[in-house]
Amino acid sequence: MIRQRIAIVYHSGYGHTGRQAEAVRAGVEEVAGAEAMLLTVDEVAGHWEDLNAAQAIIFGSPTYMGAVSAPFKAFQEATSNAVLARGYLWKDKIAAGFTTSGSQSGDKLSTLMQMVIFAAQHGMHWVGLDLPPANCSSTGSEDDMNRLGFWLGAAAQANTDEGPETAPPASDLATARHLGKRVALATLQFVRGRDFNPFPRELAAHE
């Protein structure tokens, strides 16, 4: 069986988003037929061809001042010459994202929306989080997955006075793991559907 590669590209300023990235990788690796490749934005320069060959890319960044971090933004801008200038090399790949901030909201939605637009610029297909919002009723709990109530991607909250050894909490890491598994399953569905399409891609595009 050919294993489909799911790349995870992230920046982590204090280690919290790094823990989230590890959880996403664990979720990917729960799916037979998928393998994860974990890269920090500092490692990307030597792995452009690996990213171009991946079937899916999951993006991760902390939310700083209501936006992606400066190192992650630098990675985004680098794709203009490394990827787009060579053609739509990421076209039709699966994309998803995750982010962490110190507060419950922290304008994480803004960060995820930036990632969605970035993926759209590359012609990618965005996969959101298929979990209902939790911890929003009297029977809810901080231990529930998607306790922060996000749909576009996996969101986590890490107390600013805690290191990555104890933050984000287990529920947020479980949410990230769920996202990784969901993306891996969606990628396999997409690739197999494309491979078994009886019509040439050029013909299907004009119907």
Side-chain angles (χ1 to χ4, degrees), residues 37-204:
M37 178 178 67
L38 195 64
L39 293 172
T40 67
V41 291
D42 293 330
E43 296 170 325
V44 165
H47 292 276
W48 286 116
E49 294 309 317
D50 289 326
L51 290 179
N52 295 342
Q55 298 296 332
I57 306 176
I58 306 174
F59 305 109
S61 170
T63 294
Y64 293 158
M65 303 300 291
V68 296
S69 65
F72 190 85
K73 185 64 166 65
F75 153 71
Q76 289 180 311
E77 294 184 6
T79 66
S80 179
N81 289 326
V83 181
L84 286 176
R86 298 169 55 193
Y88 254 180
L89 300 184
W90 292 359
K91 181 179 181 294
D92 289 337
K93 295 184 187 299
I94 299 297
F98 58 93
T99 185
T100 312
S101 70
S103 60
Q104 295 279 330
S105 173
D107 290 325
K108 287 189 277 282
L109 179 60
S110 175
T111 296
L112 292 172
M113 290 177 68
Q114 287 177 320
M115 293 178 180
V116 171
I117 293 170
F118 173 64
Q121 290 172 332
H122 282 280
M124 305 172 81
H125 301 288
W126 188 264
V127 173
L129 192 63
D130 63 334
L131 290 173
N135 195 31
C136 56
S137 70
S138 60
T139 59
S141 167
E142 287 285 312
D143 297 327
D144 295 337
M145 287 198 296
N146 199 20
R147 69 185 179 102
L148 300 176
F150 282 79
W151 284 271
L152 279 186
Q157 179 265 333
N159 291 334
T160 57
D161 60 350
E162 291 186 56
E165 299 80 12
T166 55
S171 54
D172 292 349
L173 297 178
T175 304
R177 189 165 60 250
H178 180 91
L179 177 70
K181 182 175 182 179
R182 172 167 165 76
V183 171
L185 290 170
T187 300
L188 292 176
Q189 290 174 337
F190 186 86
V191 170
R192 290 168 180 170
R194 181 185 63 198
D195 290 346
F196 286 108
N197 183 357
F199 301 103
R201 181 176 295 186
E202 294 79 8
L203 177 61

Side-chain angles (χ1 to χ4, degrees), residues 7-30:
I8 304 161
V9 180
Y10 74 99
H11 170 248
S12 184
Y14 300 96
H16 303 108
T17 312
R19 286 204 70 199
Q20 213 183 359
E22 292 284 357
V24 171
R25 175 167 68 176
V28 169
E29 293 178 345
E30 288 181 16

